[in-house]
Amino acid sequence: MFFYIDRWYKPGYYNLSGNTTSLVVNVYQEDFISMKGQMKRQLRAVRRSLRNKKLKFVQVVQKGNSVHLSGTADRWEQKVNAGFAAAHKGFKGVVNDIDVRGVVDTEMRLPAVQDSLLEGRSFDAVIVGGGVIGCAVARELSRQNITIALLEKESDLAMQASGRNDGMIHPGFAASPGTLKASYNVRGNRMYTKLAEELGFELKRPGSIILFKSPLMNLLKPIFRRRCRKNGVDGNYRGLSAEEVRKMEPYVTESQKGGFFLPSAGIVSPFRVTIALAENAAQNGAEIFLNTAVTSMDVKNGRISRIQTNRGSLQCGVLINAAGIWGDKLSEMAGDRFFSLHGRKGTDAILDIECSFYQNHILGMPSILGSKKNHSKGGGLVPCVEGNILIGPTSEEVPGREDYSTDSENFRKLLGQLSINQELKPVHIINYYSGVRAASWEEDFIIEPSGKISNLILAAAIQSPGLASAPAIGEDVARMAVESLRVAGVKVIKKKNFNPRRKAIPAVKDLSPEERSALIRKDPAYGEILCRCEEVSRGEIRDALVSSVPASTVDGIKRRVRAGAGRCHGGFCLSRVIMVMAEELGIPITNITRKGGSSRILLHETKENVSDETGI
Amino acid sequence: MKQEYDVVVIGAGPAGLAAAVAASDKGATVCLAEREERMGGILKQCIHDGFGLIRFKEKLTGPEYAWRYENMVKERPVDFLSRTFLTTMKPENGGFDLSFVNPEKGVFSVYAGSLVMAMGCRERTDRQIFLHGERPSGIFTAGQAQDFINLKGYMPGHKCVILGSGDIGLIMARRLTLEGAEVQGVYEIGSEPSGLTRNIVQCLEDYNIPLQLETTVTEIHGYDRLEGVTICRVDKNKIPRRETAVRIDCDCLILSVGLIPENDILKPLSVKMDPVTKGPVVDQNLETSFPGIFSCGNALHVNDLVDYVSESGHLAGERAALYGKKKIQVKRRITLNTAGNIQYAVPQNLTLPAKGTVPLFFRPLRSMGKGVAILKQGERIILKKNLNWLKPSEMNRLPIDLSLIDPDGMTPVFSLENREGVHA
């Protein structure tokens, strides 16, 4: 294990883990000059590892302190194996440029809009990526008296990995001690309690039980406890006998042979958290630009001098790379590509809320799906904040970085997990979706200032437990950004009027009868239920259209207030939701889209002459 | 002050309207609660005709049929609560405490002596038949498409594929064609269409819309808006045969893949459900396993004719009005067993002793040319009737004289046999 000390950090100052002994940071090439011999040894180790995996076609070169792989593979799996074979051999990063026959590199999907909204503008901090990390950074930075822009290429926030996960706030047990994942996870988990209170999103801590498939696994309990201690996991974590598990979960599979309980495990709605962070940032002055993609950058004297987007070019004091699955490409635009990302797809399914009765805790049975090989914690059954139980996720290496399709084969694998709970059946499924994890070959987060570009900060390769880690990552990345601005001579001081609180849209369903009646008396729109499955009122839908980061699509409404998220899948409420949207936004109903771009719901009025319509 | 009613009817579709009329005519004080603004339920968007042939001996459109019942309700002292949503129901003093919410009154309670549940049904979605691929816009249930075209006046697509041959899907195939859209075809995974024969003829054959059986959609294409679907032939076990996969370009996929009775509100009261009908188990009075809760219409089981829906609404309303008023002597509650080619029969139970004639609704499991329906108690035949051309897609109705059932006798069995195989 290498412990690199980077000159940007003063150990202890950043308190990365709340546990200074596991501080892991990186060094750059100049510090390595005396280590040339070591580099050669590392290269040899990479080549040996590739040979052992029968991947002789791979060419290996060292560039900077990264190892670059190239060549042509027959199958995607070979490229993946090569990437992992080269990781953890002492290099800072693995850049895997192996081509795969028949597979075209995915192009980033770009927004259709072209205008000059941002032309000539300048911000102290520009955050690229409106996922949970970007939004957490934006909120932290909005405590300072600086100008902030957050750029998101999709039509809404949390459209990719941040909105396509299981919503679990992991306890911090799964990641190996000493990794950034372990330290950020534990710290982030702890921060969620206050964050939920300030931002008005729902957080529950049902705790998770890792179920043992074999009685032999009971021998692992001391090892599990030791790992918890090392990672600093909160709560009274402990081993459970099969009997105790059954008492806590009466419907659990008969095949469980005991388990390990992690009470600090929590759940949130991941897109609501992301939107809440962004809305609070916006309330405190940050500007959020949707449908805005970075297309290139100008770099001068080791600094990003200009950023080109589809909405004009702008300048920044510091740029934060929170671009998710495109993080490596964004770093490449800035000329500092020392790692590469690969997509790992996961599919989740949601069960009807009527199943909420059958489970109290998060349950996982690692050996059902997971193995060391597929780099996943194995998935399981997660009771969501709304009460539905979620199954998932699966784990599959995929070439498509934005391929969110589902397929029957992976879905079948996913259904296997239903067996953890005796009462759950495929017929209870009301929805399913896929997400793509932004995995690096090293399988750890990259959270650091760039070694090459003085005004670039990286929050890259964030995959699970990224959601759990987000508040802590946001704090550290914001500090790094402030430091970078200060070094460049910007005077950064804390805002006096920063408001950490955000007023959430009232969920009328959860109010007491008195509160609900009072609200309806003030505004009858809260008394008109438009979505019957989730009991969502017209008032809530209208609020989602006028909040500080408003919804502009049908999916945007669904993510904010749950209209259409229930068992009828919008069968009854879609037409009512789009009527309200058209009315409130003052636009024709035919302009309403499901998720932006050309995803229109309705095409034109009936009896309208369509001869001049393009398309079909 | 909490309002009190003898009978509260939940849902003002055809079943609920009939229940409110019948309960009122029996002298009960009645409240009719509806979550939408207007009465009529799904009939409002069913602008085609063919409704009311049995009930009114006339061919009416859906809105016309609804309008007749709406007037009947208005002529009676029924309190109608529109845009009113039932949030919880709790048993209280032999009746029920209902909590409602609406824009005018906020949250308010109503006491019901008995309840008629007439919530109707919802459509199965693409997610419930496990369609895979991408998730663009342009995928609608047939009911959604019907709402958009008939009530809102907008086109959901130009080049349409219809998956499933349920009645609304067939009707929408015709409707979309009349509105100028191109319907590529109707694809049905089963070996028989699931809609009524008259709809196959009038909606597909008359418009040259192809119906392809044993075929299904296996993949959705298009990121933003639907661009096409892959269709596949299926084998006997309904498993797609990949070698038959063909991609069809389309911008709209309409699903007509089944209806599910909406009874989620009954779940907390542990009302006994029938796994086949997905509605509650009821006796001849349409009373559920929870005393005082009655069920009717499509919430009880999915009907093909609105006339039958109204009939069950009338019965439930009438019996709900009598609930608690007359001391009914109950000797025993028994199950009406089924045998042979029966998919399901409603009512599932009988409360004895009983008199009068009630309709028995049933569907066969498989199609049958010449069948005979027999109701037996032990060796004693209570009813025997020859029936021809039975299909799972077409519901059958048989009146049974309950006074013929011996309250102390064996469990009655209702069966459907092949006529050739049965010797009288």
Side-chain angles (χ1 to χ4, degrees):
Chain A
M1 187 85 227
F2 287 88
F3 283 79
Y4 302 139
I5 303 301
D6 171 60
R7 57 167 185 250
W8 277 94
Y9 290 89
K10 298 187 175 50
Y13 174 74
Y14 289 102
N15 193 14
L16 283 185
S17 57
N19 170 2
T20 47
T21 55
S22 64
L23 186 75
V24 181
V25 284
N26 303 288
V27 279
Y28 303 108
Q29 203 188 354
E30 50 267 47
D31 301 313
F32 260 108
I33 291 164
S34 61
M35 298 181 183
K36 262 197 167 160
Q38 184 163 354
M39 279 281 186
K40 276 188 183 160
R41 277 197 297 281
Q42 289 170 189
L43 273 176
R44 274 203 299 277
V46 170
R47 291 199 177 100
R48 200 177 321 121
S49 172
L50 287 166
R51 258 200 319 278
N52 291 343
K53 298 234 161 94
K54 302 196 169 49
L55 297 163
K56 283 188 207 154
F57 67 89
V58 181
Q59 288 130 45
V60 182
V61 289
Q62 174 215 330
K63 284 185 195 165
N65 41 26
S66 296
V67 58
H68 287 236
L69 311 179
S70 58
T72 305
D74 292 322
R75 299 186 315 275
W76 187 258
E77 191 192 350
Q78 292 176 312
K79 172 171 178 157
V80 172
N81 289 343
F84 287 129
H88 298 294
K89 298 291 181 286
F91 287 101
K92 183 173 161 66
V94 176
V95 177
N96 187 343
D97 284 340
I98 296 172
D99 291 322
V100 181
R101 278 190 191 92
V103 177
V104 188
D105 232 10
T106 341
E107 292 278 318
M108 187 164 84
R109 205 177 279 126
L110 291 170
V113 53
Q114 294 284 342
D115 60 23
S116 53
L117 182 74
L118 286 165
E119 189 57 49
R121 291 202 60 180
S122 176
F123 299 88
D124 292 320
V126 169
I127 300 158
V128 182
V132 70
I133 301 298
C135 295
V137 173
R139 181 191 186 238
E140 283 306 316
L141 280 176
S142 72
R143 294 175 190 273
Q144 314 293 340
N145 69 331
I146 54 171
T147 53
I148 304 159
L150 183 146
L151 314 181
E152 166 54 54
K153 78 181 181 74
E154 299 291 323
S155 61
D156 200 353
L157 302 167
M159 286 288 273
Q160 302 202 333
S162 297
R164 298 170 171 275
N165 59 72
D166 59 9
M168 195 171 156
I169 305 304
H170 295 89
F173 165 81
S176 306
T179 58
L180 289 186
K181 277 185 178 177
S183 60
Y184 276 113
N185 185 167
V186 170
R187 216 176 110 206
N189 178 305
R190 208 169 284 152
M191 290 169 74
Y192 261 97
T193 305
K194 187 178 169 205
L195 201 61
E197 202 246 318
E198 286 181 338
L199 299 182
F201 62 78
E202 207 173 344
L203 163 74
K204 285 183 187 161
R205 291 195 190 269
S208 75
I209 306 174
I210 301 168
L211 298 171
F212 298 155
K213 210 172 184 182
S214 140
L216 285 176
M217 286 178 80
N218 280 291
L219 300 173
L220 295 173
K221 283 173 182 169
I223 300 170
F224 280 21
R225 274 199 299 276
R226 194 159 62 240
R227 176 177 261 209
C228 285
R229 212 163 37 242
K230 271 197 174 165
N231 283 355
V233 172
D234 288 341
N236 177 24
Y237 45 80
R238 57 191 184 274
L240 301 172
S241 67
E243 197 59 22
E244 287 171 307
V245 170
R246 216 177 344 269
K247 229 177 235 169
M248 291 165 78
E249 288 294 347
Y251 302 102
V252 74
T253 169
E254 297 286 346
S255 66
Q256 60 94 11
K257 302 286 186 295
F260 193 79
F261 183 48
L262 293 149
S264 69
I267 40 168
V268 294
S269 157
F271 28 83
R272 282 178 159 186
V273 169
T274 306
I275 291 162
L277 286 162
E279 289 194 342
N280 189 233
Q283 262 173 276
N284 287 297
E287 291 183 66
I288 315 280
F289 299 97
L290 301 174
N291 298 307
T292 306
V294 174
T295 48
S296 65
M297 288 180 221
D298 299 344
V299 177
K300 263 185 212 147
N301 307 324
R303 285 184 71 79
I304 298 163
S305 56
R306 189 161 276 282
I307 306 164
Q308 272 84 33
T309 76
N310 57 320
R311 318 194 75 171
S313 70
L314 65 158
Q315 285 176 297
C316 69
V318 61
L319 184 134
I320 291 119
N321 177 354
I325 191 70
W326 299 107
D328 54 343
K329 306 279 177 188
L330 194 76
S331 274
E332 187 176 15
M333 286 182 204
D336 183 22
R337 180 169 174 254
F338 64 88
F339 64 99
S340 71
L341 299 175
H342 56 110
R344 188 180 302 134
K345 193 196 265 191
T347 302
D348 289 321
I350 310 270
L351 305 185
D352 194 299
I353 200 157
E354 71 171 40
C355 300
S356 61
F357 178 70
Y358 300 120
Q359 196 175 310
N360 311 311
H361 305 83
I362 301 162
L363 297 179
M365 204 160 190
S367 52
I368 286 187
L369 238 191
S371 68
K372 189 89 185 133
K373 211 179 135 214
N374 67 14
H375 297 276
S376 158
K377 284 181 284 299
L381 302 175
V382 182
C384 303
V385 273
E386 298 86 1
N388 307 72
I389 293 171
L390 177 152
I391 346 167
T394 55
S395 176
E396 182 202 6
E397 298 290 340
V398 292
R401 292 184 177 215
E402 295 184 331
D403 172 9
Y404 300 125
S405 63
T406 57
D407 64 88
S408 47
E409 196 184 320
N410 270 293
F411 193 68
R412 249 197 313 280
K413 282 188 210 160
L414 180 67
L415 294 185
Q417 296 192 21
L418 284 173
S419 64
I420 294 174
N421 184 318
Q422 300 173 39
E423 290 295 323
L424 307 180
K425 302 279 162 344
V427 67
H428 293 132
I429 291 173
I430 60 165
N431 207 349
Y432 44 88
Y433 55 86
S434 287
V436 179
R437 304 169 180 93
S440 70
W441 301 104
E442 292 76 18
E443 290 293 328
D444 202 1
F445 300 156
I446 302 171
I447 297 161
E448 60 193 44
S450 160
K452 254 175 138 176
I453 307 295
S454 62
N455 61 345
L456 172 65
I457 314 285
L458 290 142
I462 313 286
Q463 46 158 329
S464 180
L467 176 67
S469 307
I473 295 174
E475 216 171 65
D476 283 5
V477 170
R479 259 188 223 138
M480 293 173 201
V482 166
E483 186 61 30
S484 165
L485 286 171
R486 284 191 179 133
V487 168
V490 180
K491 199 170 167 231
V492 184
I493 47 166
K494 274 209 158 132
K495 257 183 219 156
K496 282 204 186 72
N497 57 351
F498 172 76
N499 180 5
R501 301 201 156 267
R502 158 191 170 263
K503 200 165 170 271
I505 298 170
V508 294
K509 178 186 174 187
D510 302 329
L511 297 177
S512 71
E514 297 75 29
E515 290 173 309
R516 193 166 174 175
S517 276
L519 190 66
I520 295 167
R521 258 197 307 280
K522 250 192 279 170
D523 185 349
Y526 291 112
E528 190 182 349
I529 302 297
L530 292 194
C531 164
R532 56 171 77 170
C533 304
E534 295 293 319
E535 214 177 310
V536 184
S537 66
R538 171 188 276 264
E540 291 161 84
I541 293 166
R542 182 207 53 207
D543 288 355
L545 293 165
V546 296
S547 68
S548 57
V549 186
S552 61
T553 63
V554 171
D555 279 356
I557 296 280
K558 174 165 131 185
R559 289 150 158 255
R560 282 165 181 79
V561 296
R562 290 189 65 73
R567 52 174 70 97
C568 89
H569 202 50
F572 288 112
C573 68
L574 176 66
S575 76
R576 309 165 110 210
V577 168
I578 63 175
M579 297 280 281
V580 173
M581 287 177 76
E583 211 173 287
E584 297 287 336
L585 300 172
I587 57 172
I589 199 166
T590 45
N591 285 9
I592 307 283
T593 66
R594 177 170 173 192
K595 50 181 175 180
S598 57
S599 64
R600 285 195 301 158
I601 310 272
L602 299 174
L603 304 183
H604 57 82
E605 280 185 45
T606 52
K607 316 290 189 292
E608 196 173 276
N609 185 2
V610 291
S611 57
D612 54 2
E613 280 257 337
T614 51
I616 303 166
Chain B
M1 255 301 282
K2 194 198 281 188
Q3 277 273 12
E4 292 188 11
Y5 295 95
D6 296 330
V7 178
V8 174
V9 181
I10 308 299
L17 291 169
V21 167
S24 180
D25 286 350
K26 286 282 169 194
T29 53
V30 181
C31 169
L32 175 61
E34 165 58 44
R35 49 189 160 197
E36 289 191 18
E37 195 169 344
R38 290 176 42 211
M39 299 183 203
I42 210 71
L43 287 176
K44 296 194 295 288
Q45 66 188 52
C46 300
I47 62 170
H48 53 283
D49 68 1
F51 299 92
L53 286 171
I54 302 172
R55 198 95 203 137
F56 298 109
K57 313 278 179 265
E58 271 183 77
K59 218 155 106 181
L60 304 173
T61 64
E64 283 172 319
Y65 188 101
W67 183 66
R68 293 207 179 183
Y69 264 100
E70 193 176 331
N71 284 337
M72 285 190 248
V73 168
K74 285 179 178 163
E75 284 160 9
R76 290 164 175 80
V78 171
D79 284 351
F80 177 60
L81 296 172
S82 94
R83 292 196 294 175
T84 301
F85 189 84
L86 176 63
T87 56
T88 54
M89 43 191 270
K90 284 189 299 245
E92 188 188 278
N93 301 332
F96 303 90
D97 173 49
L98 308 177
S99 183
F100 287 108
V101 61
N102 77 18
E104 290 78 32
K105 299 188 187 177
V107 181
F108 62 101
S109 281
V110 166
Y111 176 84
S114 62
L115 268 172
V116 179
M117 310 306 287
M119 291 83 61
C121 56
R122 64 173 178 269
E123 297 174 279
R124 278 174 88 198
T125 68
D126 62 322
R127 305 276 105 180
Q128 285 161 323
I129 57 166
F130 303 141
L131 268 187
H132 289 290
E134 299 190 87
R135 298 183 64 184
S137 70
I139 302 172
F140 303 97
T141 59
Q144 257 179 337
Q146 194 175 41
D147 176 14
F148 283 135
I149 297 178
N150 293 352
L151 291 182
K152 310 292 187 304
Y154 288 93
M155 288 299 279
H158 292 147
K159 206 168 176 184
C160 310
V161 162
I162 296 181
L163 177 60
S165 56
D167 287 311
I168 326 170
L170 302 176
I171 282 156
M172 286 316 294
R174 174 174 66 185
R175 190 79 192 98
L176 282 158
T177 307
L178 292 173
E179 286 296 342
E182 185 191 333
V183 178
Q184 316 260 63
V186 177
Y187 301 96
E188 164 63 48
I189 194 168
S191 52
E192 289 178 44
S194 54
L196 296 172
T197 309
R198 75 168 194 214
N199 284 331
I200 302 281
V201 175
Q202 294 172 8
C203 300
L204 301 187
E205 289 171 11
D206 287 359
Y207 294 85
N208 295 321
I209 298 167
L211 167 66
Q212 212 163 315
L213 300 172
E214 291 170 343
T215 307
T216 192
V217 170
T218 52
E219 200 179 348
I220 304 293
H221 308 283
Y223 182 80
D224 277 343
R225 176 86 195 186
L226 185 68
E227 288 164 10
V229 294
T230 298
I231 61 160
C232 258
R233 307 274 298 166
V234 298
D235 65 17
K236 265 183 275 170
N237 303 317
K238 297 189 177 176
I239 307 293
R241 288 158 47 203
R242 298 284 160 191
E243 72 278 9
T244 62
V246 185
R247 185 181 152 138
I248 298 180
D249 288 339
C250 59
D251 66 356
C252 184
L253 174 67
I254 307 267
L255 298 166
S256 181
V257 289
L259 300 167
I260 307 166
E262 283 227 285
N263 290 294
D264 312 292
I265 190 96
L266 295 178
K267 182 100 182 163
L269 295 178
S270 303
V271 173
K272 195 175 171 208
M273 304 298 284
D274 182 330
V276 180
T277 61
K278 311 263 188 272
V281 170
V282 292
D283 68 2
Q284 74 273 16
N285 301 317
L286 304 189
E287 189 174 7
T288 66
S289 65
F290 200 104
I293 299 181
F294 296 78
S295 177
C296 58
N298 282 350
L300 176 57
H301 62 124
V302 175
N303 293 253
D304 0 288
L305 298 180
V306 71
D307 308 74
Y308 291 158
V309 167
S310 297
E311 183 179 11
S312 77
H314 271 277
L315 181 61
E318 204 178 279
R319 301 302 155 101
L322 296 176
Y323 177 80
K325 288 215 167 134
K326 259 200 266 174
K327 269 263 178 283
I328 302 170
Q329 184 214 346
V330 177
K331 239 181 188 169
R332 49 194 289 235
R333 290 176 207 276
I334 55 169
T335 307
L336 176 61
N337 284 343
T338 57
N341 188 24
I342 299 277
Q343 189 188 125
Y344 73 77
V346 174
Q348 298 90 339
N349 287 345
L350 295 173
T351 300
L352 300 174
K355 49 181 198 267
T357 301
V358 294
L360 178 73
F361 290 104
F362 68 95
R363 285 181 196 271
L365 204 54
R366 291 171 303 275
S367 290
M368 190 179 236
K370 288 180 168 185
V372 55
I374 304 169
L375 179 63
K376 271 186 185 176
Q377 198 173 16
E379 284 308 300
R380 193 164 60 91
I381 292 175
I382 292 166
L383 180 135
K384 183 172 171 185
K385 195 169 165 75
N386 289 343
L387 297 166
N388 295 337
W389 306 116
L390 295 145
K391 285 180 181 178
S393 61
E394 302 197 1
M395 202 166 77
N396 293 272
R397 178 186 181 279
L398 275 181
I400 44 173
D401 184 352
L402 296 172
S403 58
L404 295 176
I405 295 174
D406 174 7
D408 302 311
M410 294 171 74
T411 302
V413 178
F414 179 64
S415 67
L416 187 58
E417 309 291 345
N418 219 322
R419 216 179 310 160
E420 281 81 21
V422 176
H423 305 284

